[in-house]
Amino acid sequence: MSTGPVFTYQDALDASQRTRWTLEDVLDERVPFDLRRPFLPEPLARTARLGSLAPRDRLLLNQIRGHAYLCIFGLVEEFILPFVLDHARSQLAGDDVRTRALLHFVEEEAKHIHLFKRFRDHFARSSGLDCDVIGPPADVAREVLSHGPLAVAITILHIEWMTQRHYAESIHGDDALEPQFARLLKCHWIEEAQHAQLDTLITRELAAELDARDVGASIDEYLEIGGALDGLLAKQVELDLDALERARGARLAPDQREEVRIVQRAANRWTYLGSGMSHPVFLSILRGLHPEGAERVRRAAPALS
């Protein structure tokens, strides 16, 4: 049976110390965003295929999607931070390296939340666009954290490996993207690489405390969390449509709005759900915990692609 990759707290701690960055390294708020460029790569945005929209509207929608992308990351990190902090607190008197690595994880997530808030303010100043995002984050965090610890850990594991896939497969090497936004995504990816390793360790620790039936139930609960997030993502599509209409100063025709809704619903599902559920490393880790549960996830993923 494949148990997935092998990670250690020491390796994650060492990497975190080598790759640290500050907010000022990433976002220069004196420099406006270049609004002639897209923010998200096409495999995530899927705006270029919207043939009923004018090129200017497709670019606007791409930038609106980029805004939502980082704001949604900020939203999910609002539940990742307290979850990891609680996990670290449970064994503060134990392994010092483990404690330091997890506290670095927490500090970096807090930094990311701060960065994404600053991005949102800078985006509004640079673009003049009025964009709403699902939430509020505290309500989403409360709902997610009401689930069992292993289900939450698997959800976070999904998010961390999803982030790695987005950068490696879609963002890296795309020279058309807005430079500051691309740099922000790169720096986020660098630190999330350590977080993916650490959450793998957390997930395995939690699973080791349960029997096979409870691990399988936790995987099913993770799928339930995904279903709830899918509902929120559908709402985000409507918010993005509204933002596009405000930006262009006119409503879309009904057939245009429906095309955008269909394409963007699929794009959001792939971006936040399918790309994580089908990640080979994520699935290999799940197979090491519960092969049948991993297979349920693998079978569910194509519908979200």
Side-chain angles (χ1 to χ4, degrees), residues 251-301:
R251 290 188 61 82
L252 296 167
D255 60 330
Q256 290 177 305
R257 192 173 176 96
E258 186 60 18
E259 182 197 24
V260 173
R261 180 180 289 114
I262 292 169
V263 172
Q264 290 300 294
R265 182 85 169 95
N268 268 359
R269 280 181 150 177
W270 165 251
T271 298
Y272 302 104
L273 298 173
S275 66
M277 293 170 69
S278 62
H279 193 296
V281 177
F282 175 71
L283 287 173
S284 74
I285 294 165
L286 289 190
R287 279 194 293 272
L289 304 180
H290 195 281
E292 294 82 3
E295 180 61 17
R296 290 196 292 275
V297 173
R298 188 194 67 79
R299 289 199 305 266

Side-chain angles (χ1 to χ4, degrees), residues 64-299:
I64 290 165
R65 280 288 314 282
H67 170 272
Y69 182 79
L70 285 191
C71 291
I72 289 171
F73 268 112
L75 180 150
V76 300
E77 288 180 350
E78 294 269 3
F79 64 74
I80 295 174
L81 189 156
F83 177 81
V84 176
L85 187 59
D86 285 346
H87 192 71
R89 186 184 293 117
S90 67
Q91 298 185 41
L92 287 177
D95 184 336
D96 290 338
V97 170
R98 176 185 181 277
T99 298
R100 290 177 60 204
L102 291 177
L103 291 180
H104 269 284
F105 189 167
V106 169
E107 188 275 332
E108 287 164 358
E109 294 291 24
K111 179 174 65 175
H112 297 174
I113 292 169
H114 189 187
L115 173 64
F116 298 151
K117 288 177 179 176
R118 286 176 60 169
F119 159 78
R120 188 171 187 175
D121 291 342
H122 187 44
F123 179 86
R125 289 192 301 270
S126 292
S127 69
L129 296 176
D130 177 16
C131 304
D132 294 322
V133 183
I134 52 174
D139 290 351
V140 176
R142 188 178 306 110
E143 173 59 29
V144 172
L145 293 173
S146 70
H147 291 272
L150 181 56
V152 177
I154 294 170
T155 301
I156 297 170
L157 188 72
H158 165 129
I159 293 166
E160 306 294 4
W161 286 106
M162 173 192 85
T163 306
Q164 296 302 293
R165 185 175 205 170
H166 290 178
Y167 189 82
E169 295 185 4
S170 301
I171 298 164
H172 178 65
D174 189 339
D175 296 332
L177 300 181
E178 202 288 327
Q180 277 207 92
F181 192 80
R183 182 167 67 249
L184 191 157
L185 294 177
K186 179 179 181 179
C187 290
H188 182 239
W189 163 73
I190 288 170
E191 291 191 338
E192 292 298 326
Q194 285 84 254
H195 300 177
Q197 296 178 25
L198 290 168
D199 196 61
T200 300
L201 294 167
I202 292 171
T203 300
R204 287 170 173 162
E205 289 172 357
L206 291 170
E209 299 172 358
L210 303 176
D211 61 25
R213 184 177 65 177
D214 287 340
V215 172
S218 296
I219 292 175
D220 290 340
E221 197 174 356
Y222 148 74
L223 290 170
E224 293 172 8
I225 294 172
L229 294 176
D230 187 36
L232 290 175
L233 293 172
K235 294 179 181 178
Q236 186 61 51
V237 171
E238 300 303 317
L239 295 175
D240 291 346
L241 269 165
D242 292 344
L244 175 60
E245 290 183 333
R246 287 193 296 270
R248 69 197 298 270
R251 290 188 61 82
L252 296 167
D255 60 330
Q256 290 177 305
R257 192 173 176 96
E258 186 60 18
E259 182 197 24
V260 173
R261 180 180 289 114
I262 292 169
V263 172
Q264 290 300 294
R265 182 85 169 95
N268 268 359
R269 280 181 150 177
W270 165 251
T271 298
Y272 302 104
L273 298 173
S275 66
M277 293 170 69
S278 62
H279 193 296
V281 177
F282 175 71
L283 287 173
S284 74
I285 294 165
L286 289 190
R287 279 194 293 272
L289 304 180
H290 195 281
E292 294 82 3
E295 180 61 17
R296 290 196 292 275
V297 173
R298 188 194 67 79
R299 289 199 305 266

